Amino acid sequence: MATRLTGALRSLWRAVRRLSGDDGYERYLAHQAAAHPDAPALSRRAWFALQQQQKWSGIKRCC
Amino acid sequence: MKTSFFSLLIWLGVALLGAAAVGGIALNRGESINALWFITAALCVYAIAYRFYAAWIAAAVLCIDETRATPAERLNNGRDFMPTNRWIVFGHHFAAIAGPGPLIGPTLAAQFGYLPGTLWILIGAVLGGCVQDMVTLFFSTRRDGRSLGQMARDELGSIGGIAALVATFLIMVILIAVLGLVVVNAMKHSPWATSTVAATIPIAMLVGLYMYKLRPGRVLEGSALGVILLLLSVAGGGWIDQQAGLRELFDHPGLPLAFAVIGYGFAAAVLPVWLLLAPRDYLSTFMKLGTVILLALAIVWMRPEIKMPALTQFVDGTGPIFGGKLFPFVFITIACGAISGFHSLIASGTTPKLLANERDIRMIGYGGMVLESLVAIMAMIAATVLDPGVYFAINSPAGVVGKTAAEAVATISAWGFPVTVEQMNRLAQQMGETTLFARTGGAPSLAVGMASIFGSAFGEHLLALWYHFAIMFEALFILTTLDAGTRVGRFMLQDLLGNIWQPLGRTSWYPSVLFSSAVVVAAWGYFLYIGVIDPNGGVNILWPLFGISNQILAAIALCVATGILVKSGRLRYAWITALPLAWLVIITSTATWQKISSDDPRIGFLAAANSLSDKLAAGVLPPDKAAVAPQLIFNQQLDAALVLFFAALLWLIVIDMLRVCARHLRGRAVPPLSEAPHYPTRLEEAWQRD
């Protein structure tokens, strides 16, 4: 019971992190390792700056 | 066999319940009706539409192919193209499409009574808005996530592409102006609201610094910090309101506040995104989701009674909030929540690049709009739980009901909506405001409605806090739309100017950034300025203009979809988009015609300009009004030209679409379908293997 509850809480927390983009850097590292293992990965700050810049160069919010 | 019998019974039950609820709302006369009926009617209508109509469109019309690889899979780059869990995509999509529009439109349209707006929100959404979002998402997914403008150009020709671009730019300008006006009207002579809204700027910057410098990429930590600070700023605003020396600093009439918003918009457009726009967006998204959920819980928990009649006498066009008859103006006033063209810009471009499988399109495209429509129903409830007299006293501009409280109360009571000065003063005092008369724009009345629902659910003595919380929440994401819209407008303008002189197109060249931002801000700033100096409140002019432009954008999206359906040999199903398109053409053309030719100065732009110039010539205007009259006259003429231009744009693209369809049906050459080739998906097997 307790383990099921903690399991549920953990997956909720994962969903919240995923939705908000909190785990974005970890996912970027995983993608980088899988797709371009030879290329050096960006630092956390450089990745965040790049990601913000890209996110806000198109229509992202509506009326 | 057993399960299908069960499901038949369940859906029969849903249909009967829905019919009873809609019938109850529609036929109720004279007695108050409980808000739960609205929620029940809405949920049943959405459930049936989603289960049957949307499923049929997905299976029979679009022929959704689960085995086909989506652009997210084929072009996966770990950034914008990335296969993503459908609930996550749903969250992103909903956060992107749901803005302040579905909260404001229903509030204004409640002047006709609760019934017309509610029916239009339900019917317009399930047959129009949801279909538009879903088919646009589908067609963009099949075209590597191309934008609406690109699809219009590829499928219909360059005329369609240019029309979509121009319409997008203009709708952005009008949208930002009207939203700016809503914020200004909410802050006018309210030190509490002004100081709280002002505090959101440094709070957003602090969160930006936290997420960028201190703990890069820790979005949740930064947002939690920001939300706590925002809640403190609501309480802090109340404290400032009590301090004799401090409150004057934040007590301003409309004009200086409008210039502050214009200056803010310029700063937000040229500052780096991480400092202001991005953190503000995180905060507003969290606040928006939290408040919408809280409002839904409070409505279900409190079951408030609707006090507005089903229909008011203002269906004849004499309404105080905006002029014009029920047809076509209820359909223009409620765009977001029923059918919103702006969504087609999100449904093409951003969301399709995240879809892991085509089967998610129904849930995200159709379902996302269903949820936004439910938000609009809740806004309608929040507006109609108020005493009608109070609702009209808050939302009617002084130019219509009279400058003093006694005059306003007498006018509104004479309409058959009794209200007293004492009642309004007591309400204003409870909400922590000096006055609630003539607080046009929809935000204050929505905040009063939300505060009274929240107050009765979570504590009556906190009304003033709830009111200013609601104002802060609305202002927060209105300003986010304002920032984001100005920036997008700037990019579009730079793109355009780059064709004339190449360096102007470089988005990182600072002189070009400053110049194009200034042009965009000046464009919406002009309409905001005129809206503030207009004695009739400005909303009367700007909101219909926004509704018309938003629905013309929807019509463009539906034109593209109809064209693709016909060209891909699905003529017999083309009515699913052609029918809402025809309706939009009818209502926007009628509204445009009335806005131009009506003799009533509250409806017709030219009639208003003529009546004002007659008064100016006769010298009957008081000096303060005479001083601004020439500007108002010019603005009315400009608005007439603008609305005519919108209608011309619409007809141009409709005729272009019909021409392409006719050529295709007669076997002549048309631009070929630009669908990407079919590759089988490998995601399913990979996921099953993992």
Side-chain angles (χ1 to χ4, degrees), chain B residues 240-271:
Chain B
I240 286 179
D241 196 31
Q242 303 293 326
Q243 311 302 313
L246 272 174
R247 78 186 301 277
E248 285 72 28
L249 282 178
F250 295 99
D251 187 355
H252 297 291
L255 211 48
L257 290 172
F259 284 120
V261 168
I262 291 170
Y264 165 78
F266 181 74
V270 296
L271 283 177

Side-chain angles (χ1 to χ4, degrees), chain A residues 19 22 44-45 52 54 61-62, chain B residues 96 213 216 219-220 278 281:
Chain A
L19 259 177
D22 200 57
R44 208 175 227 286
R45 182 174 298 175
Q52 296 292 315
Q54 277 167 346
R61 286 296 173 264
C62 196
Chain B
K213 296 270 183 209
V219 170
L220 280 177
D281 179 66

Side-chain angles (χ1 to χ4, degrees), chain A residues 13-28 31-32 35-36 44-63, chain B residues 76-79 82 84 88 92 96-97 99-102 175 211-213 216-220 273 277-278 281-282 285 336 342-343 345-346 350 481 487-488 491 550:
Chain A
W13 175 240
R14 263 206 304 275
V16 169
R17 288 198 68 203
R18 188 78 197 272
L19 259 177
S20 59
D22 200 57
D23 64 351
Y25 186 62
E26 287 132 69
R27 278 188 290 134
Y28 161 76
H31 172 83
Q32 202 67 11
H36 320 281
R44 208 175 227 286
R45 182 174 298 175
W47 166 82
F48 189 65
L50 184 71
Q51 189 242 359
Q52 296 292 315
Q53 205 59 46
Q54 277 167 346
K55 181 173 170 189
W56 291 103
S57 55
I59 296 176
K60 283 290 183 302
R61 286 296 173 264
C62 196
C63 35
Chain B
N76 186 355
N77 60 5
R79 288 196 313 267
M82 189 161 41
T84 306
I88 306 288
H92 281 276
I97 63 171
L175 167 76
M211 284 184 193
Y212 187 71
K213 296 270 183 209
R218 262 73 169 207
V219 170
L220 280 177
V273 276
L277 176 56
D281 179 66
Y282 283 116
T285 305
C336 314
F342 222 115
H343 292 189
L345 303 178
I346 306 285
T350 312
T481 308
R487 195 170 278 271
V488 169
F491 286 136
N550 196 0

